[in-house]
Amino acid sequence: MATAATDRTAVPEPAPHVLVVPYPAQGHTIPLLDLATLLASRGGIRLTVVATPATAPLLAAHGDAVGELVLPFPSHPAFPAGVESAKGLSPALFGALIVAYAGLRAPLGDWARERSGGPDRVAAILSDFFCGWTQPLAAELGVSRIAFSPFAVYGTAVLHSLFRRMPQREDGDDESPIGFPDLPGAPAYPWRQLTLLYWTYRDGDEVSEGVRRNFLWNLEASSVVSNTFRRLEERYLAAPLADLGFRRVRAIGPLAPDAADAASGRGGETAVSAADLCAWLDGFADDDGSVVYISFGSMAVLQLPHAAALAAALERTGVPFVWAVGTAAPLPEGFEERVAAAAATASRRRGKGRVVRGWAPQVAALRHRAVGWFVTHCGWNSVLEASAAGVPMLAWPMTADQFVNARLLVEEAGAAVPVSWGGIQAAPEAEEVARVLEAAAGGQCAHVAARAKELAEEAAATVSDGGASRQELDELVQELRELGSEPKE
């Protein structure tokens, strides 16, 4: 009998195997990869991340911490051939991308079933909430699925509330208020500030119904993991929310790199290196906080009226700036040339600007002492990166969850000043943008800047050893380990 006992313990059980399914958009993939790397660093679990040929390069920044499974991007008649991600995609195709990507369900199911009887069997699925189709996949495989949200808990709940309750506007009025009665404070937003995914819903349409089904599946997940932190969203983490299926929400953020990793390539290739941009910002080292960093994210294509208002305001105020405009955003004719000419002739500290065409090393820029304000669309990754860096925001939401995030920052967190609430439909006047820039640069919003510094301290504390987010992370690791040790049916 002693020999038999020794034989049973000689070969330890392999670590539980977790299948990680990101959604192919920069703002979704990057934080889930960051989370996967953190989970792997805790030990005791193995992770395999799903990618397609276009998104696989993003895994390179994460070394050997996780395995990868690269599958062909699935074809779908509603989605253009040759496109594999949301980067540069027309907003009108966002819903079609969600539905097309669900085509991975069958090949992933085959892959998992081939391993069901061995040491590489899938013990759990951790997937982006835009991949709700992994919920029925998990049910087929007999495993638990944990939904990951790269959004705020507040924004995640608002999105799911829409597709759960299907509220309608009155008489086609874009200003018609849409209420969210099951959320703390029962907030309401005008119709025009809701996500395009909901605006474009059409009853009976294949893509629309597929998008709705995607979000309803999330309400069946075993739990939700959100890239947020408790001090920022205490109100929405205090009790389970009906709009998230009353599921447990683990706040494990902010998933933003620390100062030592700010120059890493986690976001892919940049149009300018972190070293080059920081060297340029060093020219303002004796004028801390004087530079305004500007970016509207990797997916948004800024409309010309908005870009023109901002460009005119920058030239009018002479505020030093770095503007990461992306590759497709239109700028007023002659603006870039005038910026370049001013850089060659202006004094070292005033009237100096820089335009970056393409992806910029945003984390490194926000961590630089010369950057004092951030003009942002309030995408959640940008919000967390600014919060971790202690940079106050000039909020200019356009669509999606951005109005919800902006309201949270301005009205609850006190770490942002609004530029415009008009969204993609209405650009502000250049005079109004200039007024906001001058107030920020002139020290009239010092209380907001102070609150941003406090938020950074809170963000740092929550991800330090013993902090609330790290405790939640360790509990998630334990949950995954236990799922892997459950008896096999």
Side-chain angles (χ1 to χ4, degrees):
M1 294 295 292
T3 301
T6 301
D7 290 342
R8 283 197 300 271
T9 58
V11 180
E13 283 286 316
H17 183 201
V18 180
L19 185 63
V20 181
V21 187
Y23 179 71
Q26 295 271 84
H28 292 245
T29 299
I30 293 171
L32 186 48
L33 289 178
D34 288 341
L35 173 58
T37 303
L38 277 174
L39 292 173
S41 73
R42 270 14 195 197
I45 54 175
R46 294 171 296 147
L47 301 102
T48 296
V49 179
V50 177
T52 66
T55 58
L58 287 174
L59 273 65
H62 296 265
D64 299 325
V66 298
E68 66 177 58
L69 170 62
V70 181
L71 297 173
F73 189 91
S75 62
H76 191 281
F79 197 70
V83 179
E84 295 189 18
S85 75
K87 192 171 183 179
L89 189 68
S90 165
L93 289 170
F94 287 173
L97 176 56
I98 291 174
V99 174
Y101 200 59
L104 288 182
R105 176 176 167 181
L108 270 181
D110 292 342
W111 181 88
R113 279 185 284 271
E114 289 173 0
R115 290 155 179 78
S116 60
D120 288 333
R121 75 176 186 91
V122 173
I125 295 176
L126 172 63
S127 58
D128 190 281
F129 75 159
F130 273 27
C131 300
W133 50 270
T134 55
Q135 185 63 38
L137 172 61
E140 292 170 9
L141 298 175
V143 302
S144 294
R145 181 245 175 167
I146 298 169
F148 171 74
S149 171
F151 289 10
V153 174
Y154 182 15
T156 304
V158 164
L159 179 60
H160 286 80
S161 177
L162 290 172
F163 286 101
R164 181 176 71 90
R165 298 184 304 107
M166 301 298 290
Q168 301 298 309
R169 57 179 169 172
E170 296 181 4
D171 303 321
D173 181 8
D174 282 352
E175 297 299 326
S176 178
I178 304 299
F180 296 87
D182 295 321
L183 284 173
Y189 290 82
W191 175 270
R192 64 178 176 79
Q193 291 184 358
L194 302 183
T195 175
L196 185 67
L197 285 173
Y198 192 68
W199 281 356
T200 56
Y201 177 84
R202 299 291 180 269
D203 189 28
D205 174 73
E206 179 193 2
V207 168
S208 293
E209 296 296 348
V211 169
R212 184 179 187 222
R213 187 165 56 247
N214 174 86
F215 293 114
L216 294 182
W217 271 326
N218 289 328
L219 304 182
E220 302 173 18
S222 63
S223 62
V224 178
V225 178
S226 180
N227 184 18
T228 190
F229 58 103
R230 187 161 293 277
R231 289 297 295 272
L232 182 57
E233 291 201 86
E234 188 77 48
R235 192 180 193 190
Y236 307 100
L237 289 162
L241 300 174
D243 292 318
L244 293 180
F246 293 106
R247 292 304 190 259
R248 162 73 185 272
V249 177
R250 296 190 188 278
I252 47 76
L255 293 170
D258 59 25
D261 296 326
S264 70
R266 66 197 274 273
E269 186 177 354
T270 58
V272 59
S273 71
D276 180 39
L277 184 56
C278 288
W280 187 86
L281 289 168
D282 286 343
F284 301 86
D286 58 347
D287 198 0
D288 287 358
S290 63
V291 179
V292 175
Y293 180 78
I294 305 162
S295 175
F296 289 86
S298 61
M299 290 172 57
V301 176
L302 200 61
Q303 304 297 308
L304 182 56
H306 299 74
L310 179 53
L314 290 169
E315 292 189 292
R316 183 171 304 179
T317 60
V319 172
F321 68 90
V322 173
W323 187 353
V325 300
T327 56
L331 291 179
E333 185 175 354
F335 175 74
E336 288 183 75
E337 292 78 7
R338 291 193 298 274
V339 169
T345 60
S347 66
R348 189 163 56 89
R349 291 186 298 172
R350 292 292 296 172
K352 195 171 184 180
R354 182 162 184 176
V355 174
V356 177
R357 278 286 181 184
W359 188 258
Q362 180 165 293
V363 173
L366 292 173
R367 295 275 180 172
H368 198 283
R369 60 187 297 177
V371 173
W373 288 88
F374 180 17
V375 177
T376 174
H377 65 313
C378 296
W380 193 243
N381 276 334
S382 290
V383 166
L384 291 181
E385 288 170 359
S387 296
V391 177
M393 287 159 271
L394 299 177
W396 197 342
M398 294 293 173
T399 185
D401 61 323
Q402 296 159 20
F403 286 98
V404 178
N405 298 340
R407 286 259 296 261
L408 175 69
L409 292 166
V410 172
E411 299 175 5
E412 298 186 39
V417 175
V419 176
S420 171
W421 296 106
I424 60 176
Q425 296 177 322
E429 296 294 329
E431 291 80 2
E432 177 60 17
V433 181
R435 184 192 65 77
V436 176
L437 287 174
E438 288 174 339
Q444 298 173 35
C445 306
H447 60 293
V448 177
R451 178 59 188 133
K453 296 298 183 187
E454 292 175 358
L455 208 57
E457 294 172 0
E458 293 164 359
T462 198
V463 296
S464 63
D465 290 341
S469 288
R470 282 297 177 263
Q471 291 180 25
E472 293 274 28
L473 179 73
D474 290 337
E475 290 176 11
L476 174 60
V477 171
Q478 185 59 36
E479 178 184 346
L480 293 171
R481 289 171 180 161
E482 291 171 357
L483 288 172
S485 63
E486 288 177 356
K488 307 172 186 64
E489 297 182 358

